[in-house]
């Protein structure tokens, strides 16, 4: 059973999400929150598998709430919701540690599949959208690497750097395998080791790390 906390300042939105999710045999809505502060507190109390997080809310917004939830080190993963696919707030939410984002006008079945994916430890942003997000907001990328980033990057083998760069470019595992002449299962193993070495929770965070340290450059 996947437990979900719904965070949105609009009652009708919360009601719609609750009706959709509680109709699924494998999902349980444990609680609702109307702002970021409530989201942080209720996540700490209830430890849901997934926090379905609106971005724009009065008081503490979804970005800051996401950052605090992720930094707490708990098991809950955050799936943010936005109105536009290239909303700068969605990008900032990813940098804060969200495991992906969905549009509010996504089909119900897409949202359900996305929540299941996030609960299973995957990200729910397609490689192409990830690349567009980062390319669009390149002016927000930091200049230079921190000492911690240098250390994590130095821990990667040359092949792992190649795989990470390819993933950050927007290639799927199958495409990486084809381009680097590897088996797809080998690519998956490389990605798992990369995530562990750089301390990334998922593929999306690995992509952001690759851009942050300059392993790849926006087109």
């Amino acid at each position: 059973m996947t437990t979900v906390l719904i965070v949105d300042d609009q009652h009708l939105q919360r009601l719609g999400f609750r009706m959709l999710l509680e109709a699924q045999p494998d999902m349980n809505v444990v609680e609702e929150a109307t702002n970021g502060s409530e989201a942080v507190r209720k996540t700490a109390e209830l430890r849901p598998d997934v926090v379905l997080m609106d971005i724009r809310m009065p008081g503490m917004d979804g970005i800051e709430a996401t950052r605090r939830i992720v930094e707490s080190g708990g098991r809950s993963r955050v799936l943010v919701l936005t109105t536009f696919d290239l909303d700068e707030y969605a990008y900032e939410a990813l940098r804060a540690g969200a495991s992906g984002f969905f549009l509010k006008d996504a089909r119900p079945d897409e949202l359900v599949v996305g929540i299941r994916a996030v609960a299973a430890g995957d990200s729910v942003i397609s490689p192409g959208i990830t690349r567009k997000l980062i390319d669009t907001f390149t002016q927000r990328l930091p200049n230079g690497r921190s000492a911690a980033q240098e250390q994590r990057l130095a821990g990667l083998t040359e092949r792992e750097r190649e795989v990470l760069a390819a993933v950050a470019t927007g290639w799927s595992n199958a495409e990486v395998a084809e381009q680097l002449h590897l088996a797809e299962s080998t690519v998956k193993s490389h990605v798992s080791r990369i995530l562990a070495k750089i301390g990334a929770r998922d593929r999306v965070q690995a992509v952001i790390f690759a851009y942050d340290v300059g392993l790849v450059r926006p087109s």
Side-chain angles (χ1 to χ4, degrees):
M1 184 69 70
T2 297
T3 54
V4 182
L5 170 67
I6 298 172
V7 185
D8 199 296
D9 63 327
Q10 297 185 27
H11 176 74
L12 287 179
Q13 287 276 12
R14 297 196 308 275
L15 178 61
F17 290 139
R18 177 180 282 275
M19 291 176 64
L20 169 65
L21 300 184
E22 290 190 337
Q24 311 305 313
D26 61 338
M27 291 190 182
N28 176 36
V29 176
V30 293
E31 184 59 279
E32 299 177 8
T34 61
N35 56 55
S37 298
E38 280 188 15
V40 173
R41 177 173 56 82
K42 291 183 177 181
T43 298
E45 292 174 357
L46 302 171
R47 302 181 64 200
D49 297 311
V50 178
V51 180
L52 194 59
M53 179 79 73
D54 187 21
I55 291 182
R56 302 184 185 186
M57 296 178 290
M60 183 188 296
D61 63 17
I63 297 171
E64 180 59 26
T66 296
R67 182 176 295 110
R68 295 191 186 191
I69 289 170
V70 172
E71 289 179 349
S72 73
R75 60 189 293 273
S76 302
R77 299 170 66 84
V78 180
L79 175 58
V80 300
L81 298 169
T82 183
T83 305
F84 305 105
D85 61 350
L86 290 181
D87 190 328
E88 63 180 287
Y89 292 100
Y91 177 78
E92 292 298 335
L94 294 178
R95 290 188 60 82
S99 295
F101 82 96
F102 255 96
L103 301 182
K104 282 193 173 182
D105 62 355
R107 296 199 315 269
D109 60 311
E110 291 177 334
L111 182 59
V112 169
V113 169
I115 291 173
R116 290 184 180 127
V118 167
D122 295 328
S123 59
V124 291
I125 301 178
S126 69
I129 292 296
T130 301
R131 183 176 180 181
K132 275 202 295 183
L133 271 170
I134 295 177
D135 282 357
T136 299
F137 299 105
T138 54
Q139 69 273 19
R140 295 176 176 268
L141 293 176
N143 295 318
R145 304 168 184 165
S146 67
Q149 288 174 330
E150 286 279 9
Q151 186 175 10
R152 284 182 282 170
L153 183 61
L156 300 180
T157 66
E158 189 62 35
R159 176 60 86 183
E160 287 168 347
R161 290 190 186 204
E162 289 179 334
V163 171
L164 177 56
V167 168
T169 301
W171 293 349
S172 65
N173 285 346
E175 291 170 328
V176 175
E178 180 180 356
Q179 294 295 326
L180 299 184
H181 307 290
L182 300 170
E184 188 170 350
S185 58
T186 301
V187 173
K188 291 179 180 179
S189 296
H190 279 309
V191 171
S192 295
R193 286 196 294 271
I194 289 166
L195 295 180
K197 287 184 176 182
I198 67 175
R201 299 185 80 190
D202 51 43
R203 193 183 185 99
V204 171
Q205 301 306 311
V207 170
I208 292 176
F209 173 82
Y211 277 85
D212 276 350
V213 300
L215 188 62
V216 289
R217 294 294 181 185
S219 58

